[in-house]
Structure formats: C-alpha cells, structure tokens
Amino acid sequence: MPLPPLLAFAVLTGLLASLAARHELRMSPRPIVLTRGFVSYVSYACLVVVPISVYFYVFHGDWFLLYTIDVSRIPSAVALVGFVVEAALGALGFLAGALLVRNQREVVTGGLAGAVLVAGGLAVLPFADRLGRVGTHAQFHGQFGVVGYTDGALLTGALAMGGVALVGLGVLLARLWVTGRAR
C-alpha cells in the first residue's frame, strides 16, 4: 500500500476504534488518552500499522512513495519522523472520534470515517499508472527494468500486510466493543 492510503488508513482505524470504544468513552470520566480504548488503539498503530509502513518503505520504497522521491536519498531520521507522524495521525483520528462520541455524534464520526476512506482512495488516482509498475526510482523514470505489480514480490507482500492489518483491526475492534459492553 502506498503512503497516502496508509496515512488515511491510520486515521480511519483511529476513528473506527473510537466508535468501537464508545461505551467506555461515554462511561469513563477519565481523559481520553487514559482510556483502555486509546491505549489499545495506539498499541495497534505502533505494532501493526507502522510496521506495515516500514515494510513497504524498506522493501518497495520508491513504489511506496509513488516514485516522487528517491528513497535512497532520504535520511533514515526523516523516515523515522514520518513513521511517528503516521502513528500520531491515527491517534488524532481516535481523539477526534472520541470527542465526537462523547458528544453523542456517532453519525458524524461514521461520516468522517467514510470521507477519510474515500479520500485515501482518491489520493492515489492521479498516480494510478505508477502503481501498476514496480521498480526503483531510476528504473521508473528511465523506463527500464520495471515489472508489473502482479509479476514481483510486491503483490505477495501487499496481500500479507493487508491481511495482517485487517485481522489486527478486526481483533482490536472486537476487543474494544466487547470490553466496553461488559462494563
């Protein structure tokens, strides 16, 4: 998954997690950042979403950045900051959703989640031709040595990482829903 949809995915999962934790968020007088839902979401973001981004950055970096920047020229500290920002975006998504949930605006949270989902998909439309070809920055811009998306290891990695992300999200949402209902 390229960077723009992954950033949208981080925000989307934060919003969905706040909806799943709505029972706890409404009942708990604690600040949002001290709730179990928030801690659970940040754990998911740091242990699942960010490592998936790291995988794509390390193994398919130029494709991950849509061939806009040569990954070999990016200092590792800048990449690290980018991954921290990604986790922070997810946490901000949870916080925004939690504020809406505490104000009994679940429909707005759901609408916002839908808008983020659509925006993440639309963000890659201008780069659709780039997503179908896999190679390095030099190969892509020099028109040599690129392979199709389905011809290389990227498809296998994308399926594996997508599966991990979705299963992890399902477990997170189920856990938040069940533990909130049990109180």
Side-chain angles (χ1 to χ4, degrees), residues 30-130:
R30 294 183 290 175
I32 294 168
V33 295
L34 297 178
T35 62
R36 289 182 182 177
F38 182 77
V39 172
S40 298
Y41 175 73
V42 170
S43 298
Y44 169 77
C46 292
L47 296 173
V48 177
V49 177
V50 170
I52 288 171
S53 295
V54 171
Y55 165 80
F56 284 114
Y57 178 78
V58 169
F59 293 107
H60 309 286
D62 293 317
W63 179 86
F64 176 69
L65 296 176
L66 301 168
Y67 303 106
T68 55
I69 302 169
D70 188 355
V71 173
S72 64
R73 295 179 185 224
I74 299 174
S76 58
V78 172
L80 177 63
V81 169
F83 297 129
V84 170
V85 167
E86 179 182 28
L89 281 174
L92 288 173
F94 185 93
L95 291 172
L99 287 172
L100 290 168
V101 164
R102 280 196 168 169
N103 290 317
Q104 299 183 4
R105 304 269 190 245
E106 288 92 357
V107 174
V108 175
T109 306
L112 189 56
V116 169
L117 179 66
V118 170
L122 291 176
V124 295
L125 282 183
F127 303 100
D129 62 317
R130 296 173 182 224

Side-chain angles (χ1 to χ4, degrees), residues 105-170:
R105 304 269 190 245
E106 288 92 357
V107 174
V108 175
T109 306
L112 189 56
V116 169
L117 179 66
V118 170
L122 291 176
V124 295
L125 282 183
F127 303 100
D129 62 317
R130 296 173 182 224
L131 294 175
R133 296 181 279 169
V134 182
T136 65
H137 187 268
Q139 288 173 328
F140 179 81
H141 290 288
Q143 298 296 317
F144 69 93
V146 293
V147 297
Y149 178 80
T150 59
D151 298 334
L154 179 58
L155 177 61
T156 305
L159 291 173
M161 295 300 123
V164 167
L166 293 177
V167 168
L169 180 61

